[in-house]
Amino acid sequence: MFLINGQWQDALPANDRAIQFGDGCFTTASVIDGAVRFQADHLRRLQQACEVLMIAPVDWDRLNDEMSMLAASETSAVLKVIISRGTGGRGYSASNCTQPTRMLSLSPYPAFYSAWREQGIRLALSPVRIGINPSLAGLKHLNRLEQVLIRTHLEQTTAQEALVLDSQGSLVECCAANLFWRKGDDVYTPRIHGAGVNGTMRQRIIACLNGSPWRLHEVSEGPETLADADEVIVCNALMPVVPVNQAQDWHYTSRELYCFLAPLCE
């Protein structure tokens, strides 16, 4: 069941624009001991996305209360929040869409993340590239077909996550995570200016690094830059930080950056 506009139900109207056009945004948060981890960050991400997408005003106070209510009885879970433009309009026009749809759901926390953090993971280069669109770059909008294809290809390998490039061949992210790598005291992450998701954990890590001895660089580089990296990590709101043992044929054993970030991101 889903909490849709304050009511427990399991269906959306067929003319909701989330179904018709993928017209909306979402966030996925970790619930720990009855609270949404970094709840304000997730609300801020939704607010920013709705502003860019020009979605009518959402009752943010009510959504905040709904998030807290669903989390209150959970020890460990995943909370997903979707904002759709709602129903109305003809064709692509959103002129008559005045009431956004709020949809919240809970699911079990993925148990494998604990093993990933302890053992590290392997990344495989995805054959699926992400299109460049500066108007949507950074947003976690509902159009996720690229990620569906990336995941489908990934599941045909033995890797746990994918290295994803944009249509020009630059590193962007992973299938469901952001990417960082370290060379000495310099830490790099793909620039999210034309494609990719500016994840809440990515933002938190950037803030941590900007106030640390590490030197952070946002760059546009191909996957070959990982060949001489000392360390690679991936992150999202659920992991929250995971070390990488191998990307393609390149191997990593250092955990310096991971050990610095892990306690700050819990």
Side-chain angles (χ1 to χ4, degrees):
M1 295 288 285
F2 298 86
L3 186 65
I4 302 176
N5 292 333
Q7 302 294 321
W8 287 105
Q9 49 193 303
D10 57 7
L12 278 176
N15 63 343
D16 192 283
R17 291 177 67 92
I19 297 172
Q20 295 285 336
F21 306 113
D23 188 359
C25 56
F26 73 103
T27 194
T28 308
S30 177
V31 175
I32 301 175
D33 296 331
V36 180
R37 191 68 170 149
F38 306 127
Q39 183 164 335
D41 293 352
H42 289 281
L43 279 167
R44 189 177 307 112
R45 127 185 281 186
L46 292 170
Q47 290 167 345
Q48 292 170 345
C50 286
E51 181 177 349
V52 173
L53 296 174
M54 295 181 285
I55 291 176
V58 175
D59 188 339
W60 296 111
D61 289 338
R62 188 170 183 180
L63 178 59
N64 183 62
D65 291 343
E66 290 172 341
M67 293 172 68
S68 297
M69 179 191 70
L70 262 66
S73 61
E74 301 292 330
T75 301
S76 178
V78 175
L79 173 66
K80 184 173 185 178
V81 182
I82 295 174
I83 302 294
S84 158
R85 197 181 300 274
T87 61
R90 193 206 69 78
Y92 292 132
S93 175
S95 59
N96 293 326
C97 300
T98 59
Q99 183 57 57
T101 299
R102 307 182 313 277
M103 184 165 67
L104 297 83
S105 62
L106 286 169
S107 58
Y109 181 82
F112 58 80
Y113 279 143
S114 295
W116 284 17
R117 289 192 296 269
E118 293 176 6
Q119 302 169 12
I121 63 172
R122 184 165 72 87
L123 309 181
L125 184 64
S126 177
V128 180
R129 295 193 176 189
I130 294 181
I132 295 174
N133 186 342
S135 296
L136 297 176
L139 303 186
K140 199 163 187 180
H141 52 74
L142 294 180
N143 292 271
R144 297 286 107 190
L145 278 178
E146 290 169 327
Q147 282 69 31
V148 170
L149 289 174
I150 290 165
R151 177 63 66 184
T152 301
H153 281 279
L154 177 62
E155 288 171 350
Q156 298 172 20
T157 76
T158 57
Q160 290 78 34
E161 253 291 3
L163 281 175
V164 179
L165 311 181
D166 65 23
S167 56
Q168 295 182 343
S170 295
L171 284 167
V172 177
E173 56 193 5
C174 297
C175 179
N178 287 116
L179 177 71
F180 289 81
W181 62 95
R182 180 181 65 81
K183 299 180 181 183
D185 293 332
D186 294 290
V187 179
Y188 303 84
T189 192
R191 183 179 292 117
I192 307 294
H193 66 289
V197 173
N198 186 15
T200 56
M201 192 53 59
R202 177 183 187 270
Q203 296 174 47
R204 183 164 290 273
I205 287 175
I206 287 174
C208 291
L209 292 174
N210 282 334
S212 78
W214 308 98
R215 295 184 294 268
L216 176 67
H217 311 273
E218 296 185 53
V219 298
S220 295
E221 297 187 11
E224 63 279 356
T225 189
L226 301 180
D228 61 347
D230 296 313
E231 184 176 0
V232 178
I233 65 166
V234 299
C235 67
N236 67 26
L238 304 182
M239 293 178 174
V241 183
V242 166
V244 173
N245 298 328
Q246 181 179 352
Q248 291 293 87
D249 294 326
W250 308 308
H251 295 263
Y252 315 99
T253 57
S254 175
R255 295 287 187 270
E256 288 182 40
L257 181 62
Y258 171 77
C259 291
F260 172 77
L261 290 173
L264 301 177
C265 298
E266 292 292 339

